[in-house]
Amino acid sequence: MTRIVIIGGGPGGYEAALVGAQLGAEVTVVDCDGLGGASVLTDCVPSKTLIATAEVMTTFDSSYEELGIVVADDTPHIEQAARVVGVDLGKVNRRVKRLALAQSHDITASVTRAGARVVRGRAKLGGPQGIDGTRDVIVTAADGTETILTADAVLIATGGHPREIPDAMPDGERILNWTQVYDLDELPEELIVVGSGVTGAEFAGAYQALGSRVTLVSSRDRVLPGEDPDAAAVLEDVFRRRGMNVVGRSRAESAKRVGDRVEVTLSDGRVLTGTHCLMAVGAIPNTKNMNLEESGVRLKDSGHIWTDKVSRTSAPGVYAAGDVTGVFALASVAAMQGRIAMYHFLGDAVAPLNLKTVSSNVFTDPEIATVGYTQADVDAGKIDARVVKLPLLRNPRAKMQGIRDGFVKLFCRPGTGIVVGGVVVSPRASELIHPISIAVDNNLTVEQIANAFTVYPSLSGSIAEVARQLHTRKSAGEA
């Protein structure tokens, strides 16, 4: 029987284990924290659970009066704050942790039920491939004892951890990274979020909605510099309108605790003060002390593992998946990389990873969902595409629900009308992007999207309307 050892139990690892066991291999998963990895225990599941509470708060605060909802409150009107609902952060965080652990236990049960073995400990490669084609994996348990596993193939899916600035080291109380925020029992009164990428924007929006006064520090011209510029502009406008202090073109040099407050010093000498600071300045791959380069695994300058499109590393019989590869920091991509690795090694049919069909979502309010080619690709001349953007303000369902911000944007090829990308900015954009993902993945045309029935009224109706506009422009252009 083929022996496979998987190092790391995140989405890349546990999905690979399920596939490997299904295809008849003897699979061992080595994990030190609990299956699900950071995605389930400290990152994706916890943050989106926190955001779910924030989303309810935002929806209620922003539209209850317009929708005619009356809140009974005995507080004298002159003493009422603008916010009519509050949050118990300790209760929210206890729910966050409970759900994360439950999800981890469910994953462990699924993996073991499929026939894979789970070993608790830290693992590293034992050196170059043996003359028989196998590799040793050295597993160190919590008590220091070592066990050697022999494998025909190894998958490395060890993920990453928060990047730290030497002069802004987290203390777990006032200066925090994104794994530590779930230990807070009280809502930060004044939160400084350093970093305006996906993680920073999501937490900044969530805590603003929960009731914190938030300052978001961005080193770039705008928030979410890696996202669609129109989408980022909408979100930044929403942030500012809701009272967030967005400090652009400013790099944080240090953060230090001064009593019960935090001082963040910017590169231009300005000092921001608050009760808490969240550092969201990227992640570092977990590749240290794993004997990788000594075993023939090539690393990039960033410390990520080099892989090809079927998840192979430079070392025979060694594959890698997830954040440790530096491809896309998405659970869905990690899972696909892990599955592809197993299909490839075990000789099953496999399609190489195609990043142009990956859909992603930023869980802010509104959400930003994207798939396929981007506005940046079009602007840079990487692809010739027609673009139409339709604001949600024109959508009847959006009007009924009090939705003012957002849009649907589609990209299609000028000659064929094939859909090559899309952006949705709206509540639940993560759900609305799926039909566009199907179109991109299956080379559907704007005509096919336009001619498919949609429910009236619905937000998805805007997707069909954009497709109809692209069809009209295509026809007019050809005429």
Side-chain angles (χ1 to χ4, degrees), residues 108-130:
T108 302
S110 296
V111 169
T112 54
R113 190 165 53 244
R117 180 169 64 119
V118 178
V119 174
R120 183 60 65 91
R122 296 186 178 275
K124 63 181 179 181
L125 298 182
Q129 188 179 45

Side-chain angles (χ1 to χ4, degrees), residues 165 247 260 474 479:
I165 297 175
V247 182
D260 288 336
K474 170 176 173 285

Side-chain angles (χ1 to χ4, degrees), residues 195-198 218-229 232 376:
S196 65
V198 173
S218 172
S219 62
R220 308 288 286 274
D221 292 344
R222 57 180 171 85
V223 300
L224 295 175
E227 299 297 322
D228 181 271

Side-chain angles (χ1 to χ4, degrees), residues 34-48:
L35 293 198
S39 175
V40 168
L41 295 171
T42 60
D43 192 355
C44 188
V45 170
S47 65
K48 277 48 176 181

